[in-house]
Amino acid sequence: MTLAITAPLAASAPQGFLSPTGVEIAFVLVGIATLAAAIVTVTTKQLVHAALWLVVALGGLAVEYLLLTAEFIAWVQVLIYVGSVVVLLLFGLMLTKAPIGRSPDADSGNRWAALTVAAASAAALVWVVVDAFRTQWIDLDGAVQGSTEVTGSILFRHWVLPFEALSVLLLAALVGAIVLSRKNGDSEPAPDGTTQPSTADKEQR
Amino acid sequence: MHLAYPAVLAALLFCVGLYGVLARRNAILVLMSVELMLNAVNLNLVAFDVWLRDTLHAGQALTLFTIAIAAAEIGIGLAIVLMVYRNRGTSDVDKLRDTAEGHGPEAETTEAPAHTTEAAA
């Protein structure tokens, strides 16, 4: 399978680093909101609020996909992540009897080590990425890159085999979730466990 | 659009997810942080796909596959967490130390009352 990659067209138009377009401003603003929601998700003491802030972060990412002209990915993101994964996480929180309200032991003892690792990797990654792509621009003006028509034809023309393999994987995940959720020992299905992962797998098909 | 914007946002989101995976105690919150990391990777894939104008759109196809695999992973992961909760009475990853090395029997003795109190509560 050959990857035909055309050269980026960005070099043709002169673009300044400090002359942002409207799309860039929108991208940065939504990106700040997304990042703030993600930070609240990993730092809040209230477990249910973490799931709800995750909705904001994932929805913000869907808007970023729209700004990058990948429409189909954006709607898939809204359907699967905001629609099913977060609901599944909320179900999980309730089935494990997560405390409503503040729980002081939401963070473990290695919090500062984790903060150090995350800050160091963030600094390294941001430095490398900015240094590498300082002079590259995305050309968003041409044809839409990720409309449903384009994505559908690409997916079923060139990526059919991985797509079908993925459906087998989803079937295996469904069966595995059901087997894991059953009560041990007898064939009677669990009242709480079985319905919940199977709806998840059905939802994402 | 400058390519650095989506790349930097993806890097920062990945590091936020990394912090969450390392610092959170509840297993479901760890799964949420894993979702954040996967979404950062997805943003990178889409941004570079749009930048390269790939005729096969490998980035977007791989993003769709990643989303599907992440959904399967969250289903299996929650099933595992629920099973651990049913067996142990807790879903805190800090308390699941049965295979930990170096602590020996004294860890067992400190863990045993914790399990009973968790199960009673």
Side-chain angles (χ1 to χ4, degrees):
Chain A
M1 199 176 293
T2 59
L3 290 178
I5 296 174
T6 60
L9 307 171
S12 57
Q15 280 162 308
F17 185 69
L18 289 177
S19 66
T21 59
V23 175
E24 285 183 336
I25 295 172
F27 192 94
V28 170
L29 289 180
V30 176
I32 289 171
T34 304
L35 196 62
I39 289 173
V40 174
T41 301
V42 298
T43 53
T44 179
K45 299 278 187 205
Q46 310 197 21
L47 304 186
V48 180
H49 285 195
L52 297 180
W53 280 107
L54 190 65
V55 173
V56 178
L58 299 177
L61 269 175
V63 176
E64 305 283 45
Y65 293 151
L66 275 183
L67 290 175
L68 285 171
T69 70
E71 299 165 17
F72 184 69
I73 306 275
W75 299 124
V76 165
Q77 168 97 0
V78 170
L79 275 178
I80 290 187
Y81 273 110
V82 182
S84 94
V85 166
V86 173
V87 171
L88 200 56
L89 285 168
L90 281 172
F91 264 109
L93 279 178
M94 288 167 190
L95 286 175
T96 56
K97 298 188 178 57
I100 307 291
R102 301 178 65 84
S103 56
D105 58 347
D107 288 334
S108 67
N110 50 14
R111 190 162 171 253
W112 294 107
L115 195 60
T116 310
V117 169
S121 57
L125 278 176
V126 168
W127 178 54
V128 167
V129 157
V130 168
D131 196 40
F133 302 115
R134 207 173 33 211
T135 57
Q136 303 296 332
W137 275 269
I138 302 176
D139 184 21
L140 292 175
D141 291 334
V144 175
Q145 296 281 299
S147 63
T148 309
E149 186 184 352
V150 172
T151 309
S153 83
I154 289 297
L155 202 59
F156 287 105
R157 190 168 293 160
H158 299 288
W159 301 97
V160 171
L161 195 61
F163 189 80
E164 296 299 329
L166 196 66
S167 67
V168 176
L169 177 108
L170 285 178
L171 180 66
L174 174 93
V175 174
I178 291 176
V179 168
L180 278 178
S181 308
R182 277 163 51 149
K183 299 271 191 202
N184 284 335
D186 53 342
S187 59
E188 164 215 17
D192 54 344
T194 33
T195 60
Q196 191 248 332
S198 59
T199 48
D201 285 324
K202 260 185 272 173
E203 240 176 296
Q204 54 156 334
R205 284 310 299 271
Chain B
M1 186 190 297
H2 203 284
L3 182 58
Y5 292 138
V8 166
L9 177 64
L12 289 176
L13 269 181
F14 185 87
C15 293
V16 168
L18 182 65
Y19 167 78
V21 167
L22 292 177
R24 285 303 205 177
R25 181 171 278 171
N26 193 317
I28 294 178
L29 293 179
V30 173
L31 283 177
M32 284 185 205
S33 308
V34 171
E35 292 299 310
L36 276 179
M37 294 166 81
L38 283 168
N39 272 284
V41 175
N42 284 347
L43 180 61
N44 252 340
L45 284 172
V46 170
F48 280 88
D49 181 87
V50 175
W51 173 54
L52 291 171
R53 297 194 163 267
D54 187 5
T55 50
L56 283 187
H57 284 293
Q60 295 189 29
L62 195 57
T63 305
L64 287 174
F65 296 158
T66 312
I67 289 175
I69 289 176
E73 169 253 329
I74 206 86
I76 294 284
L78 278 177
I80 292 174
V81 170
L82 285 182
M83 199 175 67
V84 167
Y85 180 78
R86 273 209 301 262
N87 288 337
R88 302 297 180 92
T90 179
S91 58
D92 287 359
V93 287
D94 281 5
K95 292 182 180 147
L96 306 173
R97 304 186 62 86
D98 284 354
T99 57
E101 285 184 1
H103 292 287
E106 52 92 20
E108 299 255 334
T109 52
T110 53
E111 283 307 305
H115 280 306
T116 52
T117 51
E118 287 280 337

